[in-house]
C-alpha cells in the first residue's frame, strides 16, 4: 500500500484531536515528523494547576533514603554529632555545635541540580547552610516548610551537606537532589481551559528584581513596600505588598527608567487587592511617554479601563498590563494603590495591593513572565525547525491552528530568508503563500482581527491551483497564480524580526502531502 | 554556549562591529528591513547605557541629581561561535544583565548552561 489513508464509515475521515488515532509508516502521505526545538535559555509557563513555573526536566532522585524512611538511613547518610533518624525524620538535637548531615557521591561536577528540603521544625535563627559539593546554595535560617534551591558544583567535591546549629533543634522530613535541565524545553501553557504550545520572541525584563519589588529603587509615596506578604501566582509566599499609610492623599511608588526613545514598551504586574475595594493603577506620570497612560485595574471584578489588559490567574490574582511608546530616553512608571477608582483617599495604614512578577519589556505586548533577581534578564527566542527537510511536491495542504500574539507571522517556509513562506497578518486578515518567483495566492480573513484570537488556517495546492481556508470557510482569492514548483519545508514558524519568532500559541500544526477536498478542509478549519 | 559582554563608544559603532563579525545580517522582506541572527547567534541584547550612580528625587518626584552613566554603550551576545572582540570585550564582576537560567555573572567563552547556577 503505497499511500495508505485511514477512513472510517462512508468516506468520513477519522480525526481525533489532541491524541493521534493511528498512522502507518508505509507510503509517503502521512508520516509523523520530528521537530527540533531550541531556546538557549530557560522559560516560564502556567502549569495545569494554574501556577507560574519555570519549565524544567528533572532526573531521578539521586539521594539514597531521601525521605529518611528506609530500613537503615544511617547506612545512606553520614550524620554528624547530634544527628539521628527515626520515624521518617532526620533530627539534629543541637548538641553537636554546627553539625552536618552528609551524603557522598551524589552529584557530578558541572551538572545543574534542584534541591528540595522539607523542614519539619527549626529552633533559633542560625543559618542552615546547604552545600552542593563545594558550592554554597543556601546560607540562611530555614523556616518550617518546603524550600527549593538550584545549584552546581564546579570542583571535585560530589557530596551534599546541610547543617544544624548549636542549641537549635532542627528536623528534616526529606532532602531531595535531582539533576535539572531548563534550556531547549518546549512550553505547554495552560489558560484554565485548554493548553497550547507557547512560542515567543526574545524579550528582556528590564526590572532587576521582579519579585523583591522593593529592591528596585522605587520611591514609595505615602506607602511602603513590604516583602513576602502572601502567596503569589507561583504558589509560594513571596508576593509583596504596596501598603498605604494613613495619609489622606495618593499612595504609590514611582521610578524613572532609562529607555530608548520612540520604542513601544509593555509593562505588566500580577496584582491582588488587599483591603476593601483596593485596586491598582499604572500611570506614566506624564514623563517620557508619547501618549501618557493612566489605567485603573479593578482587582475585584477583573475589569480594566481603556488601553489596559487584565487577565485572571485565580485566587484573586490578575496580571495587569499596558503598552505605551516613549518620546524620551527617560520615562516614568507609577504604581498606585487606589480606592475603587479614586487615587487620593484616606489610607488605613494596612491595606493596599499585593504585587508580584513586575515586568517591563520592549515590545507591543507583554510576554510570559521573566523572573529576575539582581539584573535585567533576557529569555531567548524559541525556534522550531524540521531536522529533515520535507519536500512538498505537486499537491499539499498546510494547516495551522492557534493564536497569533503579534501582527505578522510566518507559519511555514523554507527558513530564515526569502525562498517561500506562508504568512498571516492579523491586522489586515491577509493570508498568503509567496515563492521566490512571486505571490501564488492571497486571501483575506475578514478585515483583520485582534491579536490573540484563535484561528485555523489552511492553504491547499492541488494540481497547481491554490485555495485558502480559514475558520471553516473557503476564502475568495484576491491573488491566484498556478504553481507546481517543489517546495522544501524547513521551518514551522518564524518571523521577519531581529529575534525571529513573534508570539504564538499553537494548538495544531499539520502538513499534508496530498490535497484535501473542500469539505475536508472546511471541517478541519472549523472552530 | 558563549556569552560575550561588550562595550562600544556608541550604538552605531557596536551595531557595525556585530554586523561585520557576522552575528546578524540585514534582510529585507516585503519591503520591511529587519536584522536576522546568523552564524550561531542566539541573542543580541542591546543594554545601552548603564547607570553608575542613580538619580535622586524629592518627595514630589522632582529630580534632585541626575544619574551618572558609565561611558559608552553595552551589549550582551549569546552565540555558539567564538569571536575576538578585542578591547570591546569586558569582564564585569557584577553584571546588570543576564540570560534566563544562567548565572547573573556568566561571561566569556565556553559557557555550558548546565554548569551555571539558577539564582
Amino acid at each position: 500500500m503505497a499511500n495508505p489513508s485511514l477512513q472510517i464509515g462512508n468516506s468520513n475521515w477519522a480525526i481525533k484531536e489532541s491524541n493521534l488515532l493511528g498512522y502507518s509508516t508505509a507510503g509517503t502521505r502521512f508520516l509523523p515528523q520530528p521537530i527540533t526545538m531550541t531556546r538557549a535559555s530557560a522559560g516560564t509557563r502556567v502549569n495545569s494547576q494554574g501556577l507560574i513555573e519555570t519549565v524544567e526536566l528533572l532526573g531521578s532522585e539521586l539521594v539514597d533514603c531521601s525521605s529518611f524512611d528506609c530500613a537503615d538511613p544511617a547506612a545512606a547518610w553520614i550524620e554528624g554529632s547530634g544527628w539521628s533518624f527515626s520515624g521518617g525524620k532526620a533530627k539534629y538535637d543541637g548538641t553537636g555545635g554546627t553539625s552536618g548531615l552528609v551524603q557522598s557521591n551524589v552529584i557530578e561536577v558541572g551538572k545543574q541540580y534542584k534541591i528540595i528540603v522539607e523542614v519539619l521544625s527549626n529552633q533559633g535563627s542560625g543559618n542552615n547552610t546547604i552545600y552542593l559539593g563545594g558550592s554554597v546554595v543556601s546560607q540562611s535560617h530555614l523556616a518550617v516548610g518546603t524550600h527549593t534551591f538550584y545549584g552546581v558544583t564546579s570542583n571535585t567535591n560530589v557530596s551534599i551537606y546541610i547543617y544544624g546549629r548549636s542549641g537549635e533543634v532542627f528536623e528534616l522530613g526529606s532532602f531531595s537532589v535531582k539533576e535539572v535541565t531548563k534550556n531547549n524545553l518546549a512550553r505547554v501553557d495552560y489558560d484554565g481551559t485548554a493548553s497550547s504550545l507557547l512560542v515567543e520572541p526574545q524579550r528582556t525584563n528590564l526590572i532587576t528584581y521582579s519579585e523583591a519589588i522593593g529592591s528596585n529603587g522605587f520611591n514609595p509615596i505615602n506607602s511602603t513596600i513590604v516583602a513576602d506578604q502572601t502567596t503569589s501566582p507561583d504558589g509560594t509566599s513571596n508576593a509583596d505588598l504596596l501598603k498605604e499609610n494613613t495619609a489622606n492623599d495618593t499612595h504609590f511608588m514611582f521610578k524613572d527608567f532609562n529607555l530608548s526613545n520612540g520604542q513601544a514598551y509593555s509593562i505588566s504586574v500580577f496584582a491582588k487587592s488587599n483591603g476593601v475595594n483596593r485596586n491598582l493603577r499604572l500611570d506614566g506620570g506624564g514623563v517620557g511617554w508619547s501618549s501618557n497612560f493612566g489605567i485603573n485595574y479593578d482587582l475585584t471584578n477583573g475589569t480594566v479601563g481603556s488601553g489596559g489588559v487584565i487577565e485572571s490567574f485565580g485566587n484573586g490574582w490578575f496580571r495587569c498590563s499596558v503598552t505605551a511608546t516613549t518620546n524620551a530616553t527617560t520615562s516614568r512608571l507609577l504604581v498606585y494603590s487606589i480606592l475603587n477608582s479614586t487615587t487620593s483617599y484616606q489610607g488605613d495604614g494596612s491595606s493596599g495591593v499585593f504585587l508580584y512578577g513586575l515586568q517591563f519589556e520592549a515590545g507591543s505586548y507583554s510576554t510570559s513572565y521573566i523572573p529576575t533577581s539582581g539584573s535585567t534578564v533576557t529569555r531567548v527566542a524559541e525556534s522550531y525547525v524540521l531536522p529533515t527537510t520535507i519536500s512538498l511536491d505537486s499537491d499539499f495542504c498546510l494547516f495551522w491552528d492557534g493564536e497569533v500574539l503579534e501582527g505578522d507571522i510566518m507559519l511555514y517556509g523554507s527558513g530564515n530568508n526569502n525562498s517561500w513562506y506562508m504568512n498571516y497578518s492579523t491586522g489586515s486578515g491577509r493570508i498568503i503563500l509567496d515563492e521566490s518567483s512571486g505571490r501564488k495566492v492571497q486571501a483575506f480573513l475578514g478585515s483583520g482581527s485582534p491579536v490573540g484570537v484563535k484561528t485555523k488556517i489552511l492553504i491547499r495546492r492541488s494540481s497547481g491551483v491554490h485555495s485558502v481556508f480559514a475558520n471553516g470557510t473557503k476564502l475568495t482569492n484576491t491573488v491566484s497564480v498556478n504553481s507546481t514548483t517543489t517546495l522544501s519545508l524547513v521551518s514551522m514558524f518564524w518571523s521577519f524580526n531581529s529575534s525571529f519568532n513573534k508570539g504564538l500559541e499553537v494548538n495544531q500544526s499539520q502538513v499534508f502531502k496530498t490535497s484535501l477536498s473542500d469539505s475536508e478542509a472546511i471541517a478541519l478549519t472549523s472552530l | 554556549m558563549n556569552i560575550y559582554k561588550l562595550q562600544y563608544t556608541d550604538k552605531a559603532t557596536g551595531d557595525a562591529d556585530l554586523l561585520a563579525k557576522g552575528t546578524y545580517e540585514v534582510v529585507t522582506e516585503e519591503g520591511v528591513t529587519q536584522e536576522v541572527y546568523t552564524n550561531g547567534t542566539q541573542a543580541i541584547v542591546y543594554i545601552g547605557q548603564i547607570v553608575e550612580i542613580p538619580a535622586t528625587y524629592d518627595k514630589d518626584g522632582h529630580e534632585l541629581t541626575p544619574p551618572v552613566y558609565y561611558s559608552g554603550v553595552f551589549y550582551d551576545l549569546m552565540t555558539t561561535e567564538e569571536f575576538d572582540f578585542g578591547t570591546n570585550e569586558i569582564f564585569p564582576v557584577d553584571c546588570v544583565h543576564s540570560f534566563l537560567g544562567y548565572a547573573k555573572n556568566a561571561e566569556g567563552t565556553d559557557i555550558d548552561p548546565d554548569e551555571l547556577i539558577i539564582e
Side-chain angles (χ1 to χ4, degrees):
Chain A
M1 189 163 53
N3 289 303
S5 62
L6 176 62
Q7 296 185 351
I8 295 177
N10 184 17
S11 299
N12 294 321
W13 281 63
I15 297 173
K16 183 182 181 187
E17 292 196 4
S18 301
N19 296 293
L20 191 62
L21 185 60
Y23 68 91
S24 169
T25 57
T28 58
R29 281 188 177 172
F30 181 44
L31 291 175
Q33 293 289 336
I35 298 175
T36 300
M37 180 272 165
T38 56
R39 185 190 59 245
S41 75
T44 63
R45 66 160 183 169
V46 178
N47 68 20
S48 57
Q49 287 77 48
L51 299 175
I52 295 170
E53 66 176 13
T54 297
V55 176
E56 59 187 18
L57 188 62
L58 292 175
S60 58
E61 180 60 64
L62 298 173
V63 173
D64 288 339
C65 198
S66 64
S67 298
F68 312 115
D69 56 358
C70 59
D72 186 9
W77 292 89
I78 303 168
E79 63 271 40
S81 177
W83 282 93
S84 62
F85 304 99
S86 69
K89 295 189 294 187
K91 180 177 181 179
Y92 175 59
D93 63 12
T95 62
T98 299
S99 180
L101 186 65
V102 183
Q103 191 163 130
S104 301
N105 300 317
V106 175
I107 56 176
E108 295 180 36
V109 173
K111 291 187 176 179
Q112 191 171 40
Y113 295 96
K114 182 176 187 177
I115 303 106
I116 301 176
V117 182
E118 180 188 9
V119 177
L120 301 177
S121 69
N122 197 2
Q123 294 180 330
S125 59
N127 289 342
N128 307 108
T129 305
I130 299 172
Y131 285 90
L132 192 67
S135 302
V136 174
V137 294
S138 174
Q139 199 161 22
S140 62
H141 183 77
L142 298 178
V144 172
T146 301
H147 305 268
T148 300
F149 308 98
Y150 293 91
V152 63
T153 182
S154 57
N155 61 25
T156 56
N157 189 331
V158 292
S159 301
I160 56 170
Y161 308 78
I162 185 167
Y163 284 89
R165 300 303 296 265
S166 180
E168 300 177 2
V169 175
F170 182 38
E171 290 183 303
L172 299 177
S174 62
F175 191 118
S176 166
V177 177
K178 295 179 180 178
E179 186 179 350
V180 62
T181 301
K182 292 173 178 287
N183 294 355
N184 300 320
L185 295 178
R187 295 184 289 164
V188 177
D189 196 56
Y190 292 80
D191 66 3
T193 57
S195 60
S196 58
L197 184 67
L198 184 60
V199 186
E200 292 187 310
Q202 175 184 319
R203 288 291 181 91
T204 299
N205 187 354
L206 300 174
I207 298 293
T208 52
Y209 289 92
S210 62
E211 293 166 15
I213 290 171
S215 301
N216 288 295
F218 277 94
N219 298 278
I221 306 297
N222 294 319
S223 60
T224 52
I225 307 165
V226 189
D228 302 338
Q229 293 299 291
T230 193
T231 303
S232 77
D234 72 12
T236 61
S237 182
N238 59 355
D240 297 350
L241 173 64
L242 178 62
K243 186 170 75 171
E244 65 201 32
N245 64 12
T246 56
N248 186 12
D249 205 335
T250 52
H251 307 270
F252 64 99
M253 63 179 190
F254 78 94
K255 184 181 178 181
D256 287 349
F257 291 85
N258 179 33
L259 305 174
S260 296
N261 190 357
Q263 168 73 49
Y265 287 88
S266 293
I267 302 157
S268 57
V269 66
F270 295 88
K272 179 178 180 177
S273 180
N274 178 47
V276 178
N277 297 326
R278 295 306 191 273
N279 293 320
L280 176 76
R281 178 179 176 88
L282 299 179
D283 198 302
V287 178
W289 302 101
S290 60
S291 180
N292 190 47
F293 60 90
I295 312 292
N296 292 346
Y297 299 84
D298 187 322
L299 302 178
T300 302
N301 299 308
T303 57
V304 62
S306 176
V309 176
I310 192 166
E311 181 182 6
S312 175
F313 274 73
N315 195 31
W317 282 100
F318 295 89
R319 194 181 196 200
C320 306
S321 59
V322 61
T323 298
T325 301
T326 57
N327 65 359
T329 56
T330 299
S331 301
R332 183 164 292 181
L333 172 65
L334 300 90
V335 181
Y336 285 85
S337 170
I338 60 176
L339 177 62
N340 293 310
S341 59
T342 303
T343 54
S344 184
Y345 63 94
Q346 181 77 56
D348 64 13
S350 60
S351 296
V353 288
F354 293 119
L355 302 173
Y356 166 84
L358 181 59
Q359 188 154 311
F360 201 135
E361 56 190 307
S364 60
Y365 70 103
S366 294
T367 62
S368 63
Y369 174 49
I370 303 170
T372 69
S373 179
S375 72
T376 62
V377 173
T378 296
R379 181 197 58 244
V380 175
E382 279 138 333
S383 171
Y384 286 80
V385 298
L386 299 167
T388 302
T389 297
I390 296 175
S391 180
L392 300 175
D393 301 319
S394 56
D395 295 353
F396 60 80
C397 288
L398 303 170
F399 171 64
W400 188 86
D401 168 8
E403 296 179 15
V404 177
L405 302 178
E406 285 188 279
D408 196 353
I409 201 80
M410 314 299 264
L411 299 177
Y412 294 96
S414 58
N416 298 328
N417 297 319
N418 182 6
S419 178
W420 76 271
Y421 52 79
M422 172 178 166
N423 170 269
Y424 173 48
S425 299
T426 56
S428 63
R430 190 195 67 176
I431 302 166
I432 59 172
L433 180 69
D434 281 6
E435 296 180 13
S436 56
S437 58
R439 184 150 302 168
K440 301 307 173 190
V441 68
Q442 172 178 292
F444 287 85
L445 175 58
S447 58
S449 60
V451 297
V453 175
K454 184 176 175 64
T455 307
K456 293 183 177 182
I457 300 170
L458 184 146
I459 287 185
R460 178 185 70 193
R461 188 170 83 178
S462 178
S463 300
V465 178
H466 299 85
S467 304
V468 182
F469 300 81
N471 296 346
T473 301
K474 185 178 183 180
L475 305 181
T476 301
N477 293 351
T478 55
V479 174
S480 186
V481 177
N482 289 1
S483 172
T484 56
T485 302
T486 296
L487 304 178
S488 295
L489 176 60
V490 175
S491 179
M492 305 301 287
F493 17 79
W494 82 100
S495 184
F496 300 146
N497 190 277
S498 59
S499 52
F500 283 19
N501 294 324
K502 293 189 177 182
L504 294 167
E505 291 185 356
V506 184
N507 297 113
Q508 298 181 76
S509 182
Q510 298 181 23
V511 176
F512 299 81
K513 297 182 72 173
T514 186
S515 61
L516 303 181
S517 68
D518 281 6
S519 59
E520 289 166 342
I522 288 169
L524 192 57
T525 57
S526 293
L527 295 173
Chain B
M1 195 65 70
N2 303 317
I3 295 175
Y4 293 95
K5 307 284 187 181
L6 304 171
Q7 181 182 27
Y8 294 94
T9 54
D10 53 52
K11 189 171 189 300
T13 305
D15 288 350
D17 190 45
L18 290 167
L19 180 63
K21 286 189 166 54
T23 62
Y24 72 93
E25 63 184 12
V26 178
V27 174
T28 300
E29 304 270 12
E30 291 194 291
V32 178
T33 299
Q34 298 284 351
E35 297 167 356
V36 176
Y37 297 155
T38 54
N39 299 325
T41 299
Q42 303 298 306
I44 300 172
V45 179
Y46 175 66
I47 298 169
Q49 291 182 292
I50 294 176
V51 173
E52 182 178 9
I53 303 172
T56 59
Y57 303 88
D58 66 16
K59 67 180 182 61
D60 296 321
H62 300 124
E63 187 178 83
L64 297 174
T65 58
V68 176
Y69 297 98
Y70 289 101
S71 63
V73 298
F74 298 84
Y75 295 75
D76 274 6
L77 167 67
M78 177 189 277
T79 174
T80 59
E81 302 302 305
E82 294 192 4
F83 295 97
D84 180 2
F85 286 100
T87 57
N88 294 118
E89 185 176 6
I90 58 175
F91 300 91
V93 295
D94 187 16
C95 297
V96 300
H97 172 263
S98 59
F99 292 96
L100 188 56
Y102 290 76
K104 179 181 147 187
N105 293 321
E107 61 181 49
T109 59
D110 300 327
I111 299 294
D112 183 339
D114 291 337
E115 295 180 353
L116 298 165
I117 297 173
I118 304 293
E119 294 190 77

